[in-house]
């Protein structure tokens, strides 16, 4: 799991260059419009369904999973064209409440989370302290593991090879995409779902950006920012049916793992 945490944070900075216009073009920002309307609608609905289903099961680890998913949902609301829109702000407010409830292991009302959104207070498009929402990034990184090891697995449309059906994990998918350019047939299989995964990873990177370590702070921020950019590049390439672009983005994720290990593993 830690290996993939490092991998997901370390990406080459050449794929995109996103800067904060309010900082003289020097300081990168991760909360900029990135999610198309259709992707936001689909991803946010999946988050709502996941929170409800997890609350209903009440299984071991449900609270952590809901806390993570609610935080990601907040991230979705911050990555749209108009994060201050009333409906978006209300969804954000509901997600913030869900994350805090999960942190307290209070899941009794979250099984009907979707219905609670209409009555939720609007939340500002600025999270002052993400650590009050998500207690650590490590539980979030578990999603990249195989399903058998507690990861969230990958959509059936992304299981374009038998090995991916068996492994059923995001890390395995990235490695497979980095190993060989997708054939036209395989690209057609993943073209609808791979963008959704790319956007989800971009939001995960944006959240990770907020959890700086005690050392190498700027390096951490730069790498998480680059990871977000590469994830968006992956989504863009899939939308455009660009096999070379998918390969480049996936290889950037995998190859940069070495750099992250060299910078952060020694600090653990």
């Amino acid at each position: 799991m830690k290996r993939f945490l490092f991998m997901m944070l370390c990406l080459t900075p050449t794929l995109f260059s996103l800067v904060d216009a309010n900082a003289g073009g020097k300081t990168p920002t991760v909360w900029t419009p990135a999610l198309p309307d259709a992707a936001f609608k689909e991803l946010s609905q999946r988050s709502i369904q996941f929170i409800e289903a997890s609350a209903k099961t009440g299984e071991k680890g449900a609270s952590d999973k809901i806390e993570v998913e609610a935080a990601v949902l907040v991230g979705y609301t911050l990555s749209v064209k108009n994060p201050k829109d009333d409906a978006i702000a209300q969804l954000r407010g509901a997600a913030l409440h869900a994350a805090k409830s999960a942190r307290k292991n209070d899941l009794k009302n979250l099984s009907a989370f979707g219905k609670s959104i209409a009555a939720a207070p609007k939340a500002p498009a600025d999270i002052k302290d993400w650590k009050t929402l998500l207690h650590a990034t490590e539980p979030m990184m578990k999603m990249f593991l195989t399903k058998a090891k507690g990861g969230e697995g990958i959509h059936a449309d992304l299981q374009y090879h038998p090995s991916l059906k068996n492994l059923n994990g995001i890390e395995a998918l990235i490695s497979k995409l980095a190993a060989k350019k997708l054939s036209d047939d395989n690209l057609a299989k993943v073209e609808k779902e791979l963008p959704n995964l790319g956007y989800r990873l971009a939001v995960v990177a944006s959240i990770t950006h907020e959890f700086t370590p005690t050392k190498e702070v700027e390096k951490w921020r730069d790498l998480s920012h680059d990871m977000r950019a590469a994830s968006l590049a992956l989504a863009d390439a899939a939308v455009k049916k660009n096999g070379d672009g998918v390969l480049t983005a996936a290889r950037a994720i995998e190859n940069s793992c070495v750099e992250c290990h060299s910078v952060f593993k020694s600090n653990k």
Side-chain angles (χ1 to χ4, degrees):
M1 178 174 63
K2 291 183 178 179
R3 171 179 172 270
F4 197 68
L5 166 60
F6 295 133
M7 180 188 299
M8 294 308 295
L9 291 176
C10 300
L11 296 166
T12 55
T14 57
L15 294 169
F16 278 92
S17 178
L18 301 175
V19 296
D20 186 347
N22 295 323
K26 294 182 179 180
T27 304
T29 178
V30 290
W31 299 116
T32 58
L35 268 64
D37 292 343
F40 171 74
K41 182 178 180 180
E42 178 63 28
L43 290 171
S44 59
Q45 187 59 41
R46 291 181 187 183
S47 290
I48 292 169
Q49 292 172 349
F50 180 87
I51 290 170
E52 291 181 342
S54 297
K56 288 176 183 177
T57 64
E59 62 185 10
K60 183 179 180 181
S63 293
D64 279 351
K65 290 181 179 179
I66 292 174
E67 181 184 341
V68 167
E69 196 59 43
V72 172
L73 181 55
V74 170
Y76 291 153
T77 70
L78 296 175
S79 302
V80 294
K81 294 176 183 178
N82 186 8
K84 296 181 180 180
D85 177 82
D86 286 348
I88 300 297
Q90 199 161 31
L91 176 58
R92 186 182 308 117
L96 286 167
H97 176 73
K100 293 175 182 178
S101 295
R103 194 164 183 174
K104 297 176 183 178
N105 201 30
D106 181 10
L107 309 183
K108 58 184 178 182
N109 296 320
L110 295 182
S111 59
F113 174 65
K115 294 180 179 179
S116 73
I117 296 172
K122 299 172 186 176
D126 182 21
I127 307 300
K128 298 295 184 182
D129 184 3
W130 276 86
K131 292 181 181 178
T132 64
L133 177 61
L134 183 65
H135 69 274
T137 57
E138 190 169 353
M140 184 169 62
M141 294 304 160
K142 288 182 179 179
M143 69 172 65
F144 301 110
L145 300 176
T146 62
K147 190 79 170 179
K149 293 184 178 180
E152 67 180 30
I154 55 176
H155 193 282
D157 290 352
L158 296 177
Q159 298 173 14
Y160 66 90
H161 189 274
S163 64
L164 292 175
K165 185 174 182 179
N166 293 330
L167 292 172
N168 195 11
I170 296 174
E171 180 180 4
L173 173 63
I174 295 297
S175 295
K176 194 72 176 178
L177 291 173
K180 183 180 179 181
K181 179 181 175 180
L182 289 173
S183 66
D184 289 344
D185 286 344
N186 284 335
L187 186 57
K189 291 178 183 179
V190 304
E191 65 175 322
K192 291 184 179 179
E193 195 56 41
L194 191 55
N196 287 327
L197 178 61
Y199 296 131
R200 183 168 174 82
L201 297 186
V203 168
V204 168
S206 297
I207 296 172
T208 304
H209 180 273
E210 308 294 343
F211 285 79
T212 53
T214 56
K215 297 180 180 180
E216 300 284 358
V217 172
E218 290 305 316
K219 187 68 173 178
W220 177 276
R221 288 173 176 165
D222 287 345
L223 292 173
S224 59
H225 178 266
D226 294 339
M227 184 266 178
R228 177 185 186 270
S231 297
L232 293 178
L234 185 68
D236 184 65
V239 169
K240 295 178 178 177
K241 303 179 183 180
N242 182 350
D244 288 325
V246 169
L247 180 66
T248 297
R251 283 181 173 175
I253 296 172
E254 193 162 65
N255 293 342
S256 59
C257 182
V258 175
E259 180 183 0
C260 252
H261 271 260
S262 66
V263 174
F264 292 109
K265 191 172 183 180
S266 60
N267 293 331
K268 288 292 181 179

